[in-house]
Amino acid sequence: MEYDSIYQQLRDEVEKVVGYKAKTPKDFDKLSDDIEKITHIKLSSYTLKRFWGYLKSVEVRRSTLDALCRMAGYTSWDGFCDIQRNNNDTQSHMSFSDTLNVALLDVGTRVRLSWNPGRCVIMRYEGHGLFVVEDSINSKLRFGDTFRCFRIVANEPLLLSDFKRPGMPVCSYVCGERDGVVYSILNEE
Protein backbone atom coordinates (compact mmCIF):
# COMPACT_ATOMS: atom_id res chain seq x y z
CA MET A 1 0.00 0.00 0.00
CA GLU A 2 1.41 3.38 -0.96
CA TYR A 3 2.00 5.54 2.12
CA ASP A 4 1.01 8.86 0.51
CA SER A 5 -2.45 7.47 -0.14
CA ILE A 6 -2.94 5.89 3.27
CA TYR A 7 -1.55 8.99 5.03
CA GLN A 8 -4.12 11.07 3.15
CA GLN A 9 -6.89 8.69 4.23
CA LEU A 10 -5.76 9.14 7.83
CA ARG A 11 -5.69 12.95 7.47
CA ASP A 12 -9.21 12.85 6.01
CA GLU A 13 -10.51 10.67 8.85
CA VAL A 14 -9.00 12.92 11.55
CA GLU A 15 -10.52 15.98 9.84
CA LYS A 16 -13.93 14.24 9.82
CA VAL A 17 -13.68 13.75 13.59
CA VAL A 18 -12.82 17.38 14.32
CA GLY A 19 -15.13 18.80 11.66
CA TYR A 20 -12.66 21.08 9.88
CA LYS A 21 -9.77 20.98 7.40
CA ALA A 22 -6.33 21.78 8.82
CA LYS A 23 -4.90 24.46 6.52
CA THR A 24 -3.56 27.35 8.63
CA PRO A 25 -1.22 27.64 11.62
CA LYS A 26 -4.27 28.35 13.85
CA ASP A 27 -5.95 25.18 12.51
CA PHE A 28 -2.92 23.11 13.49
CA ASP A 29 -2.80 24.67 16.98
CA LYS A 30 -6.51 23.85 17.41
CA LEU A 31 -6.00 20.34 16.01
CA SER A 32 -3.19 19.74 18.50
CA ASP A 33 -5.50 20.80 21.35
CA ASP A 34 -8.41 18.71 20.02
CA ILE A 35 -6.25 15.59 19.71
CA GLU A 36 -5.04 16.02 23.28
CA LYS A 37 -8.60 16.53 24.59
CA ILE A 38 -9.90 13.40 22.89
CA THR A 39 -6.95 10.99 23.10
CA HIS A 40 -4.97 12.45 26.03
CA ILE A 41 -1.93 12.32 23.72
CA LYS A 42 -0.05 15.53 22.94
CA LEU A 43 1.09 16.03 19.34
CA SER A 44 2.69 19.38 18.64
CA SER A 45 1.26 21.63 15.96
CA TYR A 46 4.72 21.45 14.33
CA THR A 47 4.44 17.64 14.02
CA LEU A 48 0.93 17.97 12.61
CA LYS A 49 2.04 20.60 10.08
CA ARG A 50 4.73 18.21 8.84
CA PHE A 51 2.33 15.27 8.57
CA TRP A 52 -0.25 17.39 6.73
CA GLY A 53 2.44 18.63 4.32
CA TYR A 54 2.19 22.24 5.47
CA LEU A 55 5.90 22.10 6.33
CA LYS A 56 8.64 19.97 4.81
CA SER A 57 8.07 16.46 6.03
CA VAL A 58 10.48 14.04 7.60
CA GLU A 59 9.87 10.39 8.35
CA VAL A 60 6.71 10.00 10.40
CA ARG A 61 7.16 8.42 13.82
CA ARG A 62 5.10 5.38 14.67
CA SER A 63 3.86 7.08 17.85
CA THR A 64 2.48 9.95 15.74
CA LEU A 65 0.65 7.51 13.44
CA ASP A 66 -0.76 5.57 16.41
CA ALA A 67 -2.01 8.79 18.04
CA LEU A 68 -3.66 10.02 14.84
CA CYS A 69 -5.29 6.61 14.34
CA ARG A 70 -6.67 6.72 17.90
CA MET A 71 -8.05 10.17 17.13
CA ALA A 72 -9.80 8.70 14.09
CA GLY A 73 -11.26 5.94 16.26
CA TYR A 74 -8.92 3.10 15.34
CA THR A 75 -6.92 1.12 17.85
CA SER A 76 -3.54 1.69 16.22
CA TRP A 77 -1.68 2.30 12.95
CA ASP A 78 -1.66 -1.47 12.36
CA GLY A 79 -5.42 -1.64 12.91
CA PHE A 80 -5.97 1.26 10.53
CA CYS A 81 -3.81 -0.37 7.84
CA ASP A 82 -5.57 -3.72 8.27
CA ILE A 83 -8.95 -2.09 7.72
CA GLN A 84 -7.66 -0.23 4.67
CA ARG A 85 -6.39 -3.49 3.20
CA ASN A 86 -9.71 -5.26 3.95
CA ASN A 87 -7.66 -7.99 5.55
CA ASN A 88 -9.83 -8.40 8.61
CA ASP A 89 -11.69 -11.64 7.94
CA THR A 90 -10.95 -13.44 11.23
CA GLN A 91 -14.09 -14.56 13.08
CA SER A 92 -12.61 -15.72 16.43
CA HIS A 93 -9.51 -15.13 18.53
CA MET A 94 -8.18 -15.06 22.09
CA SER A 95 -8.10 -11.65 23.75
CA PHE A 96 -5.64 -10.47 26.39
CA SER A 97 -6.66 -6.83 26.06
CA ASP A 98 -7.25 -4.36 28.84
CA THR A 99 -10.75 -4.91 30.28
CA LEU A 100 -13.02 -2.51 32.16
CA ASN A 101 -15.28 -4.28 34.65
CA VAL A 102 -18.27 -1.93 34.74
CA ALA A 103 -19.34 -3.16 38.19
CA LEU A 104 -16.27 -1.41 39.64
CA LEU A 105 -17.33 2.02 38.34
CA ASP A 106 -18.90 4.64 40.58
CA VAL A 107 -22.32 5.92 39.60
CA GLY A 108 -21.83 9.10 37.57
CA THR A 109 -18.51 8.00 36.06
CA ARG A 110 -18.14 9.15 32.46
CA VAL A 111 -16.57 6.84 29.91
CA ARG A 112 -15.39 7.76 26.41
CA LEU A 113 -15.66 5.14 23.67
CA SER A 114 -14.18 5.50 20.21
CA TRP A 115 -14.12 3.25 17.19
CA ASN A 116 -13.49 3.56 13.50
CA PRO A 117 -14.05 5.47 11.44
CA GLY A 118 -14.07 8.52 13.66
CA ARG A 119 -16.85 7.50 16.06
CA CYS A 120 -16.79 8.88 19.60
CA VAL A 121 -19.36 8.55 22.39
CA ILE A 122 -19.33 9.94 25.91
CA MET A 123 -21.56 7.95 28.27
CA ARG A 124 -22.40 8.21 31.96
CA TYR A 125 -22.69 5.19 34.25
CA GLU A 126 -26.03 4.99 36.08
CA GLY A 127 -25.35 1.76 38.04
CA HIS A 128 -26.30 -1.90 37.52
CA GLY A 129 -24.66 -1.95 34.08
CA LEU A 130 -26.82 0.92 32.78
CA PHE A 131 -25.32 3.79 30.75
CA VAL A 132 -26.81 6.92 29.19
CA VAL A 133 -25.29 8.66 26.16
CA GLU A 134 -24.24 12.26 26.91
CA ASP A 135 -22.52 13.08 23.62
CA SER A 136 -22.01 11.39 20.26
CA ILE A 137 -19.77 12.25 17.30
CA ASN A 138 -20.23 10.45 13.97
CA SER A 139 -22.15 7.63 15.67
CA LYS A 140 -25.72 6.37 15.33
CA LEU A 141 -25.97 6.58 19.12
CA ARG A 142 -27.73 9.75 20.30
CA PHE A 143 -27.93 11.89 23.40
CA GLY A 144 -30.26 10.21 25.90
CA ASP A 145 -30.00 6.66 24.48
CA THR A 146 -29.66 4.07 27.26
CA PHE A 147 -28.21 0.58 27.25
CA ARG A 148 -26.63 -2.04 29.45
CA CYS A 149 -23.02 -3.10 29.25
CA PHE A 150 -21.11 -5.04 31.89
CA ARG A 151 -17.61 -5.35 30.45
CA ILE A 152 -15.66 -3.27 27.95
CA VAL A 153 -12.65 -4.94 26.34
CA ALA A 154 -10.16 -2.65 24.61
CA ASN A 155 -9.71 -3.34 20.89
CA GLU A 156 -12.70 -5.70 20.76
CA PRO A 157 -16.26 -5.13 19.48
CA LEU A 158 -18.65 -3.95 22.20
CA LEU A 159 -22.19 -5.29 22.54
CA LEU A 160 -24.69 -2.89 24.07
CA SER A 161 -27.75 -4.79 25.26
CA ASP A 162 -31.20 -3.55 26.26
CA PHE A 163 -30.66 -0.56 23.95
CA LYS A 164 -33.52 1.94 24.35
CA ARG A 165 -34.51 5.03 22.40
CA PRO A 166 -37.99 6.58 22.42
CA GLY A 167 -40.02 5.40 19.45
CA MET A 168 -37.86 2.32 18.80
CA PRO A 169 -38.21 -1.27 19.97
CA VAL A 170 -35.64 -2.44 22.53
CA CYS A 171 -32.65 -3.96 20.71
CA SER A 172 -28.91 -4.58 20.86
CA TYR A 173 -26.21 -2.44 19.27
CA VAL A 174 -22.62 -3.37 18.36
CA CYS A 175 -19.85 -0.75 18.44
CA GLY A 176 -16.55 -1.29 16.63
CA GLU A 177 -17.61 -4.52 14.97
CA ARG A 178 -14.57 -4.66 12.66
CA ASP A 179 -11.74 -3.04 14.62
CA GLY A 180 -12.97 -2.93 18.22
CA VAL A 181 -13.37 -0.02 20.59
CA VAL A 182 -10.99 2.08 22.64
CA TYR A 183 -12.19 3.33 26.01
CA SER A 184 -11.05 5.79 28.62
CA ILE A 185 -12.49 6.96 31.91
CA LEU A 186 -12.90 10.72 31.89
CA ASN A 187 -11.68 12.80 34.80
CA GLU A 188 -14.25 14.97 36.50
CA GLU A 189 -13.57 18.63 35.87
Side-chain angles (χ1 to χ4, degrees):
M1 184 177 304
E2 186 178 308
Y3 281 115
D4 288 341
S5 172
I6 197 164
Y7 285 173
Q8 187 57 52
Q9 283 182 277
L10 181 55
R11 288 182 204 108
D12 292 344
E13 296 226 11
V14 169
E15 288 174 342
K16 276 188 224 171
V17 170
V18 296
Y20 58 88
K21 296 271 186 198
K23 296 179 180 177
T24 68
K26 281 188 176 184
D27 292 338
F28 290 106
D29 291 341
K30 182 171 175 19
L31 183 58
S32 175
D33 291 342
D34 289 342
I35 289 170
E36 186 172 17
K37 283 178 194 169
I38 292 175
T39 66
H40 305 291
I41 299 169
K42 180 69 174 167
L43 292 178
S44 73
S45 60
Y46 183 76
T47 295
L48 296 171
K49 288 175 188 174
R50 286 183 300 146
F51 184 71
W52 256 257
Y54 186 83
L55 296 175
K56 184 177 177 186
S57 183
V58 294
E59 187 173 329
V60 182
R61 290 184 182 172
R62 176 61 183 258
S63 59
T64 298
L65 294 170
D66 283 339
L68 290 169
C69 287
R70 288 206 49 198
M71 179 66 178
Y74 296 85
T75 56
S76 66
W77 172 244
D78 290 334
F80 178 76
C81 290
D82 284 347
I83 294 297
Q84 302 313 313
R85 289 183 189 112
N86 288 325
N87 191 22
N88 197 5
D89 57 2
T90 303
Q91 294 294 322
S92 307
H93 64 278
M94 301 294 277
S95 174
F96 299 97
S97 297
D98 188 26
T99 301
L100 175 63
N101 183 348
V102 169
L104 300 177
L105 295 176
D106 293 327
V107 171
T109 299
R110 296 170 69 231
V111 177
R112 178 187 179 275
L113 291 178
S114 60
W115 63 98
N116 72 329
R119 277 53 165 155
C120 177
V121 171
I122 306 295
M123 56 193 196
R124 184 181 67 248
Y125 185 57
E126 300 290 302
H128 306 289
L130 182 67
F131 286 90
V132 63
V133 174
E134 290 188 335
D135 195 12
S136 177
I137 300 170
N138 297 325
S139 167
K140 292 178 184 172
L141 298 175
R142 296 184 195 160
F143 176 82
D145 289 345
T146 63
F147 52 84
R148 293 199 185 276
C149 171
F150 297 94
R151 193 169 306 279
I152 302 171
V153 181
N155 308 317
E156 299 292 339
L158 178 63
L159 175 66
L160 309 178
S161 60
D162 199 21
F163 178 84
K164 294 179 184 172
R165 176 183 293 162
M168 283 182 56
V170 175
C171 62
S172 295
Y173 185 89
V174 179
C175 303
E177 188 169 24
R178 292 178 68 193
D179 198 35
V181 300
V182 175
Y183 74 87
S184 59
I185 296 175
L186 301 178
N187 295 331
E188 293 303 316
E189 298 173 359

